[in-house]
Structure formats: structure tokens, C-alpha cells
Short mmCIF file of all heavy atoms in Angstrom, two decimals:
data_model
loop_
_atom_site.label_atom_id
_atom_site.label_comp_id
_atom_site.label_asym_id
_atom_site.label_seq_id
_atom_site.Cartn_x
_atom_site.Cartn_y
_atom_site.Cartn_z
N CYS A 1 16.48 0.54 -28.92
CA CYS A 1 16.28 0.04 -27.48
C CYS A 1 16.07 -1.49 -27.45
O CYS A 1 15.54 -2.15 -28.44
CB CYS A 1 15.24 0.78 -26.69
SG CYS A 1 15.44 2.48 -26.68
N ILE A 2 16.34 -2.02 -26.38
CA ILE A 2 16.03 -3.44 -26.09
C ILE A 2 14.75 -3.56 -25.35
O ILE A 2 14.65 -3.08 -24.21
CB ILE A 2 17.26 -4.12 -25.18
CG1 ILE A 2 18.55 -4.01 -25.96
CG2 ILE A 2 16.81 -5.56 -24.88
CD1 ILE A 2 19.73 -4.42 -25.19
N PRO A 3 13.76 -4.16 -25.97
CA PRO A 3 12.50 -4.31 -25.33
C PRO A 3 12.49 -5.44 -24.29
O PRO A 3 13.07 -6.47 -24.67
CB PRO A 3 11.47 -4.56 -26.52
CG PRO A 3 12.40 -5.26 -27.55
CD PRO A 3 13.70 -4.75 -27.37
N ILE A 4 11.89 -5.25 -23.12
CA ILE A 4 11.79 -6.23 -22.12
C ILE A 4 10.25 -6.38 -21.74
O ILE A 4 9.70 -5.43 -21.21
CB ILE A 4 12.68 -5.88 -20.95
CG1 ILE A 4 14.12 -5.99 -21.32
CG2 ILE A 4 12.33 -6.79 -19.70
CD1 ILE A 4 15.12 -5.64 -20.22
N ASP A 5 9.68 -7.50 -21.99
CA ASP A 5 8.32 -7.76 -21.79
C ASP A 5 8.21 -8.34 -20.41
O ASP A 5 8.55 -9.45 -20.21
CB ASP A 5 7.74 -8.69 -22.88
CG ASP A 5 6.14 -8.82 -22.78
OD1 ASP A 5 5.68 -8.58 -21.67
OD2 ASP A 5 5.63 -9.25 -23.82
N ASP A 6 7.61 -7.58 -19.40
CA ASP A 6 7.50 -8.17 -18.05
C ASP A 6 6.42 -9.07 -17.83
O ASP A 6 6.29 -9.63 -16.79
CB ASP A 6 7.41 -6.97 -17.12
CG ASP A 6 6.10 -6.27 -17.04
OD1 ASP A 6 5.30 -6.42 -18.05
OD2 ASP A 6 5.75 -5.60 -16.14
N SER A 7 5.56 -9.37 -18.92
CA SER A 7 4.59 -10.39 -18.87
C SER A 7 5.14 -11.71 -19.18
O SER A 7 4.50 -12.78 -18.92
CB SER A 7 3.42 -10.06 -19.76
OG SER A 7 3.81 -10.19 -21.19
N LYS A 8 6.32 -11.83 -19.77
CA LYS A 8 6.97 -13.07 -20.14
C LYS A 8 7.79 -13.68 -19.07
O LYS A 8 7.93 -14.90 -18.87
CB LYS A 8 7.74 -12.90 -21.42
CG LYS A 8 7.02 -12.31 -22.58
CD LYS A 8 6.01 -13.34 -23.12
CE LYS A 8 5.25 -12.75 -24.34
NZ LYS A 8 6.06 -12.39 -25.42
N ALA A 9 8.54 -12.86 -18.33
CA ALA A 9 9.38 -13.26 -17.22
C ALA A 9 9.74 -12.09 -16.32
O ALA A 9 9.36 -10.94 -16.67
CB ALA A 9 10.70 -13.84 -17.83
N SER A 10 10.40 -12.35 -15.23
CA SER A 10 10.75 -11.32 -14.30
C SER A 10 11.62 -10.25 -14.98
O SER A 10 12.60 -10.59 -15.64
CB SER A 10 11.60 -11.87 -13.12
OG SER A 10 12.30 -10.76 -12.48
N PRO A 11 11.15 -8.90 -14.98
CA PRO A 11 11.95 -7.96 -15.59
C PRO A 11 13.33 -7.79 -14.99
O PRO A 11 14.26 -7.46 -15.63
CB PRO A 11 10.96 -6.57 -15.46
CG PRO A 11 10.17 -6.91 -14.28
CD PRO A 11 9.95 -8.42 -14.30
N VAL A 12 13.40 -8.04 -13.61
CA VAL A 12 14.73 -7.90 -12.96
C VAL A 12 15.69 -8.91 -13.46
O VAL A 12 16.82 -8.67 -13.82
CB VAL A 12 14.51 -8.06 -11.36
CG1 VAL A 12 15.87 -8.10 -10.73
CG2 VAL A 12 13.66 -6.86 -10.90
N GLU A 13 15.19 -10.21 -13.72
CA GLU A 13 16.09 -11.21 -14.14
C GLU A 13 16.39 -10.96 -15.62
O GLU A 13 17.54 -11.24 -15.98
CB GLU A 13 15.36 -12.54 -14.02
CG GLU A 13 15.01 -13.06 -12.55
CD GLU A 13 16.37 -13.21 -11.83
OE1 GLU A 13 17.44 -13.61 -12.41
OE2 GLU A 13 16.37 -12.88 -10.57
N GLN A 14 15.51 -10.33 -16.34
CA GLN A 14 15.82 -10.04 -17.79
C GLN A 14 16.84 -8.96 -17.83
O GLN A 14 17.83 -9.08 -18.69
CB GLN A 14 14.60 -9.65 -18.50
CG GLN A 14 13.59 -10.68 -18.75
CD GLN A 14 12.37 -10.34 -19.61
OE1 GLN A 14 12.49 -10.17 -20.78
NE2 GLN A 14 11.17 -10.15 -18.98
N VAL A 15 16.82 -7.97 -16.92
CA VAL A 15 17.81 -6.97 -17.03
C VAL A 15 19.11 -7.46 -16.51
O VAL A 15 20.22 -7.17 -17.21
CB VAL A 15 17.37 -5.73 -16.00
CG1 VAL A 15 18.51 -4.78 -15.91
CG2 VAL A 15 16.16 -5.05 -16.63
N LEU A 16 19.11 -8.37 -15.57
CA LEU A 16 20.37 -8.94 -15.07
C LEU A 16 21.11 -9.72 -16.18
O LEU A 16 22.31 -9.74 -16.35
CB LEU A 16 20.14 -9.75 -13.83
CG LEU A 16 19.76 -8.92 -12.53
CD1 LEU A 16 19.52 -9.89 -11.37
CD2 LEU A 16 20.85 -8.00 -12.12
N ALA A 17 20.22 -10.44 -16.88
CA ALA A 17 20.77 -11.25 -18.06
C ALA A 17 21.38 -10.36 -19.12
O ALA A 17 22.38 -10.81 -19.81
CB ALA A 17 19.56 -12.11 -18.63
N GLN A 18 20.82 -9.27 -19.33
CA GLN A 18 21.40 -8.31 -20.30
C GLN A 18 22.58 -7.60 -19.86
O GLN A 18 23.32 -6.96 -20.69
CB GLN A 18 20.29 -7.27 -20.67
CG GLN A 18 19.13 -7.71 -21.41
CD GLN A 18 19.54 -7.89 -22.87
OE1 GLN A 18 20.52 -7.38 -23.39
NE2 GLN A 18 18.64 -8.66 -23.68
N THR A 19 22.92 -7.61 -18.54
CA THR A 19 24.11 -6.89 -17.99
C THR A 19 25.08 -7.81 -17.31
O THR A 19 25.73 -7.37 -16.29
CB THR A 19 23.47 -5.83 -17.04
OG1 THR A 19 22.73 -6.36 -16.03
CG2 THR A 19 22.73 -4.74 -17.81
N ARG A 20 25.12 -9.05 -17.72
CA ARG A 20 26.01 -10.03 -17.12
C ARG A 20 25.86 -10.19 -15.63
O ARG A 20 26.81 -10.33 -14.87
CB ARG A 20 27.45 -9.60 -17.46
CG ARG A 20 27.88 -9.58 -18.97
CD ARG A 20 29.21 -9.11 -19.18
NE ARG A 20 29.50 -7.83 -18.54
CZ ARG A 20 29.10 -6.62 -19.01
NH1 ARG A 20 28.52 -6.51 -20.11
NH2 ARG A 20 29.50 -5.56 -18.32
N GLY A 21 24.62 -10.07 -15.17
CA GLY A 21 24.43 -10.16 -13.71
C GLY A 21 24.63 -8.99 -12.91
O GLY A 21 24.37 -9.07 -11.67
N GLU A 22 25.12 -7.94 -13.44
CA GLU A 22 25.60 -6.80 -12.59
C GLU A 22 24.38 -5.90 -12.35
O GLU A 22 24.29 -5.18 -11.30
CB GLU A 22 26.73 -6.04 -13.37
CG GLU A 22 27.23 -4.80 -12.68
CD GLU A 22 28.34 -4.15 -13.37
OE1 GLU A 22 28.94 -4.71 -14.25
OE2 GLU A 22 28.54 -2.93 -13.10
N GLY A 23 23.57 -5.73 -13.33
CA GLY A 23 22.48 -4.64 -13.24
C GLY A 23 22.82 -3.48 -14.03
O GLY A 23 23.95 -3.23 -14.39
N ALA A 24 21.90 -2.76 -14.47
CA ALA A 24 22.09 -1.54 -15.20
C ALA A 24 22.78 -0.39 -14.39
O ALA A 24 22.60 -0.44 -13.20
CB ALA A 24 20.68 -0.94 -15.75
N ASP A 25 23.48 0.41 -15.05
CA ASP A 25 24.11 1.48 -14.34
C ASP A 25 23.16 2.53 -13.80
O ASP A 25 23.36 3.07 -12.74
CB ASP A 25 25.09 2.25 -15.32
CG ASP A 25 26.24 1.31 -15.77
OD1 ASP A 25 26.89 0.81 -14.89
OD2 ASP A 25 26.40 1.20 -17.04
N ARG A 26 22.09 2.65 -14.59
CA ARG A 26 21.06 3.74 -14.24
C ARG A 26 19.69 3.14 -14.47
O ARG A 26 19.43 2.22 -15.19
CB ARG A 26 21.17 4.98 -15.10
CG ARG A 26 22.62 5.50 -15.08
CD ARG A 26 23.09 6.17 -13.75
NE ARG A 26 24.51 6.24 -13.74
CZ ARG A 26 25.24 6.62 -12.69
NH1 ARG A 26 24.59 6.90 -11.50
NH2 ARG A 26 26.53 6.74 -12.84
N GLY A 27 18.62 3.71 -13.79
CA GLY A 27 17.26 3.29 -13.95
C GLY A 27 16.26 4.36 -13.96
O GLY A 27 16.55 5.43 -13.20
N CYS A 28 15.29 4.29 -14.63
CA CYS A 28 14.18 5.41 -14.74
C CYS A 28 12.76 4.81 -14.38
O CYS A 28 12.42 3.79 -14.96
CB CYS A 28 14.18 5.96 -16.09
SG CYS A 28 15.56 7.08 -16.48
N GLU A 29 12.17 5.51 -13.46
CA GLU A 29 10.77 5.16 -13.20
C GLU A 29 9.83 6.15 -13.87
O GLU A 29 9.80 7.38 -13.54
CB GLU A 29 10.50 5.29 -11.69
CG GLU A 29 9.41 4.36 -11.10
CD GLU A 29 7.99 4.79 -11.57
OE1 GLU A 29 7.81 5.99 -11.97
OE2 GLU A 29 7.06 4.03 -11.36
N CYS A 30 9.08 5.57 -14.89
CA CYS A 30 8.29 6.44 -15.78
C CYS A 30 6.83 5.89 -15.80
O CYS A 30 6.17 5.92 -16.73
CB CYS A 30 8.77 6.50 -17.22
SG CYS A 30 10.50 7.28 -17.25
N VAL A 31 6.33 5.35 -14.61
CA VAL A 31 5.07 4.75 -14.57
C VAL A 31 4.26 5.52 -13.43
O VAL A 31 3.18 6.04 -13.68
CB VAL A 31 5.17 3.23 -14.22
CG1 VAL A 31 3.76 2.66 -14.11
CG2 VAL A 31 6.00 2.46 -15.20
N GLY A 32 4.80 5.49 -12.23
CA GLY A 32 4.06 6.18 -11.11
C GLY A 32 3.23 5.31 -10.26
O GLY A 32 3.32 4.01 -10.27
N TYR A 33 2.41 5.93 -9.44
CA TYR A 33 1.63 5.20 -8.34
C TYR A 33 0.65 4.19 -8.78
O TYR A 33 0.16 3.44 -8.01
CB TYR A 33 1.18 6.22 -7.34
CG TYR A 33 0.01 7.02 -7.87
CD1 TYR A 33 -1.25 6.81 -7.37
CD2 TYR A 33 0.14 8.02 -8.76
CE1 TYR A 33 -2.37 7.56 -7.75
CE2 TYR A 33 -0.98 8.87 -9.13
CZ TYR A 33 -2.18 8.62 -8.66
OH TYR A 33 -3.27 9.42 -9.07
N GLN A 34 0.22 4.35 -10.08
CA GLN A 34 -0.85 3.44 -10.59
C GLN A 34 -0.21 2.21 -11.39
O GLN A 34 -0.88 1.59 -12.19
CB GLN A 34 -1.85 4.09 -11.34
CG GLN A 34 -2.80 4.99 -10.56
CD GLN A 34 -3.87 5.68 -11.45
OE1 GLN A 34 -3.80 6.75 -11.80
NE2 GLN A 34 -4.90 4.80 -11.75
N CYS A 35 1.00 1.82 -11.04
CA CYS A 35 1.64 0.67 -11.75
C CYS A 35 0.89 -0.68 -11.42
O CYS A 35 0.39 -0.79 -10.29
CB CYS A 35 3.14 0.66 -11.44
SG CYS A 35 3.55 0.59 -9.76
N HIS A 36 0.87 -1.48 -12.46
CA HIS A 36 0.15 -2.76 -12.36
C HIS A 36 1.10 -3.90 -12.66
O HIS A 36 2.10 -3.75 -13.41
CB HIS A 36 -0.94 -2.81 -13.38
CG HIS A 36 -2.06 -1.85 -13.07
ND1 HIS A 36 -2.03 -0.54 -13.15
CD2 HIS A 36 -3.33 -2.19 -12.64
CE1 HIS A 36 -3.18 0.03 -12.88
NE2 HIS A 36 -4.03 -0.94 -12.51
#
């Protein structure tokens, strides 16, 4: 997998950079209501 460290830069911008600006086809939320 491609690790994306959200403490280094915006995770959204990092994902867009990995997908030629389009965004991922799919996304998974595996954190829940206590996300920080």
C-alpha cells in the first residue's frame, strides 16, 4: 500500500496528487467518531 501521513500535509491533497487530481475511485472510513 501507499502510506499517507496526514501529519505532514493535507491527506486530501496527497490523495489527489496520487490520482492525477481526480480522487480515488473508492474510500473507506475505518476510524469512527473519535477521530483526531
Side-chain angles (χ1 to χ4, degrees):
C1 302
I2 298 169
I4 292 180
D5 187 339
D6 71 344
S7 70
K8 301 291 180 61
S10 161
V12 175
E13 293 301 323
Q14 292 184 72
V15 171
L16 294 176
Q18 288 283 345
T19 56
R20 302 178 304 280
E22 181 178 341
D25 297 306
R26 311 291 166 187
C28 288
E29 206 289 345
C30 299
V31 182
Y33 70 107
Q34 287 186 257
C35 52
H36 292 70

